[in-house]
């Protein structure tokens, strides 16, 4: 089955700096890559996604890039703010029934 | 929020007892999923369903069973709870407008003592 690795596990940045979280996947048939943000005690929420036929997607301060050849994708957050502090999960979809395999998460802390 | 609710929100149970968690959705989504979340492991798939009475195992299905007798309800049962099943359990649905992404329920925090 699919295996998704995510790095780093923790990331601390100063407000206004950029943050980058990287994920790799194993199944070359995976075709959909969402990113979720989870605040403390809350449910994971979808923040951005990318499909395998697209190399980059942006939504205001966040962007995702995909390199199918290398089987890795990344989340970029620019001009970080304290409210960006949360745990971020990447995921990859493969196989039947649209199952998502998640990475182990990155705890992002934005300091003032 | 997408009409998905989980119950109970919190539960403490004793080792060896059966426990059933409920996921209820109001929007007729075909696909439903149960995940558990543990520190250092992210979200791991337990079981999933692709229709009424159509279910299959995920990567961590041992000790769990599921049932889906109606489109709106997806039940997760711990047949004989163990301390290793202490976790936060999330139900998810795949919403077609998301094109493959999930909407999660609020979660159930289960403690097995």
């Amino acid at each position: 089955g699919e295996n998704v690795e995510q790095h780093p596990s923790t990331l601390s940045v100063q407000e206004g700096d950029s943050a980058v979280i990287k994920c790799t996947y194993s199944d070359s048939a995976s075709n959909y890559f969402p990113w979720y943000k989870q605040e403390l005690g809350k449910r994971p929420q979808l923040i951005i996604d990318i499909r395998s036929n697209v190399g980059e997607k942006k939504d205001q301060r966040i962007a995702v890039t995909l390199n199918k050849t290398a089987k890795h994708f990344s989340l970029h957050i620019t001009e970080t703010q304290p409210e960006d502090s949360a745990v971020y999960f990447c995921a990859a979809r493969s196989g039947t029934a649209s199952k998502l395999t998640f990475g182990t998460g990155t705890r992002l802390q934005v300091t003032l | 929020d997408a009409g998905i609710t989980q119950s109970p929100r919190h539960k403490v149970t004793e080792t060896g007892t059966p426990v059933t968690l409920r996921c209820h959705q109001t929007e007729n989504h075909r696909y439903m999923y149960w995940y558990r979340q543990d520190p250092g492991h992210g979200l791991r798939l337990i079981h999933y369903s692709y229709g009424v009475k159509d279910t299959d195992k995920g990567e961590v299905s041992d000790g769990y069973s599921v049932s889906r007798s109606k489109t709106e309800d997806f039940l997760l049962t711990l047949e004989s709870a163990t301390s290793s099943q202490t976790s936060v359990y999330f139900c998810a649905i795949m919403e077609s407008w998301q094109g493959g992404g999930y909407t999660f329920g609020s979660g159930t925090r289960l403690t097995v003592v």
Side-chain angles (χ1 to χ4, degrees), chain A residues 1-7 21-33 35 50-52 54-55 64-75 90-94 101 103:
Chain A
E2 174 66 279
N3 181 52
V4 176
E5 295 191 356
Q6 182 172 348
H7 300 280
I21 302 170
K22 299 181 179 182
C23 291
T24 61
Y25 61 98
S26 61
D27 188 349
S28 56
S30 289
N31 58 10
Y32 173 74
F33 307 91
W35 286 87
I50 192 167
R51 300 184 186 285
S52 57
V54 176
V64 58
T65 58
L66 171 65
N67 183 327
K68 285 177 57 181
T69 302
K71 289 191 278 189
H72 66 71
F73 56 114
S74 301
L75 177 71
C90 62
R93 181 181 71 187
S94 63
T101 300

Side-chain angles (χ1 to χ4, degrees), chain A residues 2 32 34 36 38 41-46 49 51 87 89 93 96-105, chain B residues 1 4 9 31 33 35 37 40-43 45 48 50 59 90 94 98-106:
Chain A
E2 174 66 279
Y32 173 74
Y36 288 82
Q38 186 179 29
K42 301 289 182 62
R43 74 187 81 188
Q45 294 199 300
L46 179 70
D49 56 15
R51 300 184 186 285
V87 178
F89 292 97
R93 181 181 71 187
T96 58
S98 294
K99 294 177 291 183
L100 289 180
T101 300
F102 287 83
T104 50
Chain B
D1 187 8
I4 177 170
R9 291 295 310 276
Y31 294 101
Y33 310 84
Y35 283 82
Q37 184 174 31
H41 291 279
L43 293 145
L45 182 64
Y48 62 98
Y50 44 96
E59 61 179 308
F90 285 100
M94 189 186 74
Q98 288 189 8
Y102 294 171
T103 295
F104 286 90
S106 296

Side-chain angles (χ1 to χ4, degrees), chain B residues 56-81:
Chain B
D56 207 346
K57 296 178 180 180
E59 61 179 308
V60 291
S61 60
D62 287 349
Y64 302 94
S65 61
V66 289
S67 66
R68 193 168 179 199
S69 58
K70 300 183 290 184
T71 298
E72 57 265 36
D73 288 325
F74 191 30
L75 305 180
L76 176 70
T77 297
L78 287 65
E79 294 144 8
S80 176

